[in-house]
Amino acid sequence: ARATGADLLWRCAHNRRLPVVTALPDGSYLSVIYPDDKARRQDMDGIPVRVIEYSLPKLDGAAIRYRLMTTLLSAEAAPAAELAACYHARWQVEAVFDELKTHLQQGRRTLRSKTPELVRQEFYGWVLAHYAVRWLMHQVASAHRSRHDDLSFVGHVQLLRRTQPRSGAFPPRAGSRKTLVS
């Protein structure tokens, strides 16, 4: 990935060996990772990384420890606090993907359409359905002056499913059909 010109930021295990090569003023430090144990023992093919370690408090008073690695080596260009905030903001996107894939799809993993144009149309409908639920949640939170985080996406999807007529449950003109008497 680095060869493409992309810079990376990822969480790594606390037990990974990451020796401090240079301590940086923002509390992070430069280290080196190796492709395998042999390369590490021979100090060959090392890839320079920057390590950011920090804790966030949990509700019960305990702390969650985080250890991030990045290819952004400059503390001035990318301060540790900003990178930590970016890492946590990324999970907002993951939450949206979960809402789309898990809660709106109802176990259906593929789109039903058979042509590229209809797949696009179905995908846009899927994303618009997500937006509609999120907009409803925004309206409710705003009206009651509460936090959006306090509302349940799943609960709102279930509420909408219960209150909306089922599409395709009956023929469109079934209610308007007249009985012919001969």
Side-chain angles (χ1 to χ4, degrees):
R2 178 75 204 239
T4 68
D7 281 305
L8 307 171
L9 173 67
W10 69 99
R11 188 173 182 182
C12 70
H14 284 281
N15 61 355
R16 183 167 188 150
R17 291 184 197 169
L18 294 169
V20 177
V21 174
T22 306
L24 299 174
D26 65 352
S28 63
Y29 62 90
L30 297 179
S31 189
V32 181
I33 59 173
Y34 297 92
D36 55 42
D37 285 336
K38 181 181 176 187
R40 184 179 45 77
R41 282 192 301 273
Q42 296 176 355
D43 195 19
M44 292 180 11
D45 302 323
I47 302 165
V49 294
R50 187 164 140 226
V51 181
I52 302 163
E53 295 178 330
Y54 59 98
S55 299
L56 292 177
K58 291 189 336 186
L59 291 177
D60 63 3
I64 302 173
R65 296 209 24 87
Y66 291 89
R67 189 180 205 196
L68 306 179
M69 279 196 298
T70 182
T71 56
L72 295 164
L73 304 178
S74 169
E76 293 78 31
E82 286 182 21
L83 291 175
C86 285
Y87 176 77
H88 290 282
R90 168 197 177 278
W91 286 104
Q92 295 299 318
V93 172
E94 293 294 332
V96 170
F97 292 155
D98 175 63
E99 290 169 354
L100 283 166
K101 291 175 6 184
T102 306
H103 305 299
L104 285 181
Q105 279 286 67
Q106 282 190 315
R108 222 174 10 111
R109 293 288 179 235
T110 58
L111 299 174
R112 296 172 291 184
S113 300
K114 303 296 184 210
T115 66
E117 185 57 35
L118 291 176
V119 167
R120 266 190 294 282
Q121 181 179 351
E122 189 173 347
F123 175 77
Y124 289 140
W126 189 36
V127 171
L128 285 170
H130 179 267
Y131 178 80
V133 174
R134 278 283 165 191
W135 179 250
L136 172 67
M137 291 173 67
H138 168 75
Q139 295 291 81
V140 169
S142 297
H144 296 282
R145 297 178 188 228
S146 64
R147 293 170 24 115
H148 295 86
D149 298 354
D150 294 339
L151 300 176
S152 165
F153 181 84
V154 175
H156 280 79
V157 169
Q158 291 170 350
L159 174 68
L160 287 170
R161 284 193 173 127
R162 282 194 311 267
T163 59
Q164 296 303 310
R166 287 199 158 277
S167 170
F170 52 86
R173 290 196 251 166
S176 63
R177 199 179 303 168
K178 294 181 180 175
T179 307
L180 296 175
V181 179
S182 49

